Amino acid sequence: MASPSKAGAAFAALREDLTGDVLAPGDPGYDDARTVFNAMIDRRPAVIAQCADEADVARSVRFARDLDLPIAVRGGGHSVAGMSLNDGGLVIDLRRMHEVTVHRAAHSVRVQGGALMSHLDRATQPHGLATTGGRVSTTGVGGFVLGGGSGWLERSCGLAVDNLIAVDLVTADGTAVHASAEQNPELFWALHGGGGNFGVATALTLKLHELPAFSMALVLYLPEFGEEATRTYRDMIEAGPVEASGGVIYLTGPPEEFVPPHLVGQLLCGALLAYAGPEEDMRKLAEPLLALPHEAAVVTAIPYADLQCMLDDPPGMRNYWSAEYLTGAPDDFVAVFCAAGNSVPAPTGTTHVLFPLGGSVADGPSEYPVPYRDAPWAVHPFGIWEDPADDQRCVQWVHDVRTAVRPWSTGAVYLNFIGDEGAERVIAGLGAENTRRLASVKRQYDPDNVFRFNHNIVPA
């Protein structure tokens, strides 16, 4: 660590040199700036650099390296493990860098590293274009894409990394590099699932797809019809087109217009059909779901960007999530999944989700470090609650779900869906052979493991 006098001088210089703002404990705005999505995370960085451009990012990296400060990088702040914060170190806060530039003729979009999914989706929507994004609008694009990128459009458009064209990155020595299939191709490969291990992504360029129409059906059932609804949804997806996505979701009935008042606060099973196409086609596909006894249904055309906002999780809640990727969803699995759904901690915001992959995910490039690509289904127990007194039961429920569905697990996992579950789970999220190759790339670009607040790849 540097001496107090050197640290003080360096901090003053950073404040002077940065186009953006620099915050320290006690400064106005510091506590807001260190607040992340998961209310269980309470960390106090020594410095928060609210960067305005790539030059600010490079200055901030060099500042931290000079003082031997640990570096965390914040985009959307959605990491359930709070990886975008640290104690006593530097946080590079990218949220001011959220510009999105659509290149209509090229079917591509350039997204700055601090943009949220809402920035991306609202920019592409007027052009009738979209690319695979997350399942909520508040996720940061950078961390989402570099971690693999799973969302409603993946069955028709592929994983987010399948649509990655280029990345601008500031590496551990403060150098700006460009990674694409032509420039720094090994680094470009590593960024297809290797996350924030190799530097700070200041901009990403993504392929866009035509999406002139989008529609959805959300059907709510009493839990006793959960197994029948889940089997029906499974059969519909497996026989249906790649434009069909969504999931089966056990949830506590929210106070929304489409939920009958007597079911607010009660456990429900919902089937969501998200459809990358017109309402008429979606309605035909949804007929088996609507034929089952149900309590409420919303069947409508909807702009894709609006669906992305529909399931946004409220900020300020306590969160714990995990996932298992599956070899299939046979009837005996469905019974286990629904039994776990019936045990969802209620009434909380916790959800229990089964969603399909397949389609363009399975058919996508096999060379990238995303070993879950061949799984046709995934389970995502998503614990979210408000009262700290519920911590133990909600966390334990997530563990219990993983244990219950493990007989059908492929062993692979999407790292963006999990917190800090240990080194073996990181390898499960990258693949053993890929991890060795990634470690070599890490050694080249970050030999000192500066960027370690992530699903970490150790340099080798």
Side-chain angles (χ1 to χ4, degrees):
M1 277 293 194
S3 67
S5 59
K6 179 183 177 183
F11 181 70
L14 185 69
R15 272 203 156 136
E16 181 69 26
D17 293 344
L18 226 64
T19 302
D21 290 334
V22 178
L23 301 176
D27 287 344
Y30 170 83
D31 283 326
D32 283 343
R34 71 181 183 88
T35 299
V36 291
F37 174 77
N38 186 358
M40 296 179 81
I41 308 300
D42 182 18
R43 295 178 186 150
R44 300 185 63 82
V47 184
I48 300 173
Q50 297 183 316
C51 298
D53 53 29
E54 184 179 76
D56 275 2
V57 174
R59 289 188 194 101
S60 299
V61 169
R62 289 193 290 268
F63 162 82
R65 296 301 308 274
D66 286 346
L67 298 182
D68 196 25
L69 290 176
I71 299 175
V73 182
R74 176 176 184 148
H78 247 259
S79 154
V80 69
M83 292 170 179
S84 50
L85 283 182
N86 59 33
D87 281 314
L90 169 74
V91 170
I92 295 178
D93 186 340
L94 300 175
R95 283 177 291 174
R96 294 190 178 193
M97 299 170 58
H98 56 72
E99 184 176 323
V100 178
T101 306
V102 177
H103 301 287
R104 179 72 177 86
H107 276 60
S108 69
V109 60
R110 187 175 189 271
V111 186
Q112 285 191 311
L116 303 181
M117 212 56 63
S118 56
H119 296 124
L120 171 60
D121 295 334
R122 294 299 178 192
T124 60
Q125 184 89 48
H127 301 276
L129 298 170
T131 194
T132 301
R135 291 174 173 84
V136 296
S137 71
T138 51
T139 303
V141 175
F144 167 79
V145 172
L146 299 182
S150 169
W152 303 128
L153 294 179
E154 66 191 353
R155 282 173 41 82
S156 56
C157 300
L159 296 169
V161 285
D162 298 343
N163 296 289
L164 186 61
I165 297 171
V167 182
D168 292 322
L169 202 73
V170 173
T171 59
D173 61 0
T175 301
V177 301
H178 183 78
S180 67
E182 295 77 31
Q183 293 180 255
N184 301 301
E186 187 70 358
L187 173 62
F188 186 58
W189 170 85
L191 294 170
H192 286 71
N197 271 282
F198 310 100
V200 185
T202 57
L204 303 92
T205 303
L206 300 165
K207 178 183 177 183
L208 293 174
H209 301 260
E210 298 283 347
L211 190 68
F214 200 85
S215 51
M216 59 154 286
L218 176 62
V219 189
L220 297 178
Y221 308 91
L222 294 175
E224 51 261 42
F225 296 104
E227 284 195 46
E228 189 175 2
T230 303
R231 290 193 299 269
T232 301
Y233 178 84
R234 175 201 62 198
D235 295 345
M236 176 196 72
I237 288 289
E238 291 184 346
V242 296
E243 288 81 9
S245 185
V248 176
I249 309 168
Y250 279 82
L251 74 164
T252 301
E256 302 285 352
E257 284 185 17
F258 61 87
V259 178
H262 70 283
L263 294 177
V264 172
Q266 302 301 308
L267 184 65
L268 298 170
C269 176
L272 173 65
L273 171 59
Y275 191 75
E279 180 183 353
E280 180 183 3
D281 295 347
M282 180 273 298
R283 282 184 176 273
K284 291 177 184 173
L285 195 63
E287 284 174 359
L289 294 173
L290 293 165
L292 299 176
H294 58 277
E295 302 303 303
V298 179
V299 186
T300 184
I302 184 173
Y304 168 67
D306 289 358
L307 176 71
Q308 288 284 72
C309 301
M310 200 176 86
L311 298 176
D312 281 356
D313 303 301
M317 303 288 280
R318 303 171 77 79
N319 283 256
Y320 187 83
W321 332 319
S322 194
E324 290 292 339
Y325 279 64
L326 310 173
T327 56
D331 287 352
D332 53 349
F333 161 79
V334 169
V336 169
F337 169 78
C338 293
N342 287 325
S343 68
V344 164
T348 66
T350 295
T351 58
H352 179 46
V353 186
L354 172 70
F355 64 85
L357 288 88
S360 295
V361 177
D363 295 339
S366 60
E367 67 267 24
Y368 296 140
V370 283
Y372 47 86
R373 186 183 291 281
D374 59 351
W377 294 91
V379 171
H380 186 23
F382 195 103
I384 180 168
W385 65 98
E386 190 170 12
D387 188 347
D390 285 330
D391 285 2
Q392 184 174 353
R393 74 171 179 133
C394 290
V395 170
Q396 185 60 51
W397 174 81
V398 171
H399 289 304
D400 290 345
V401 171
R402 282 194 60 205
T403 300
V405 304
R406 196 161 290 145
W408 296 274
S409 175
T410 68
V413 68
Y414 170 46
L415 293 177
N416 282 352
F417 274 173
I418 71 171
D420 183 0
E421 297 184 4
E424 290 302 312
R425 282 284 268 178
V426 174
I427 294 171
L430 300 170
E433 282 295 322
N434 292 327
T435 300
R436 284 187 279 274
R437 184 176 168 188
L438 289 163
S440 296
V441 182
K442 178 77 168 179
R443 184 178 68 241
Q444 181 180 352
Y445 289 94
D446 184 13
D448 299 319
N449 203 12
V450 170
F451 300 111
R452 59 184 181 272
F453 289 88
N454 45 40
H455 292 294
N456 194 234
I457 298 162
V458 179

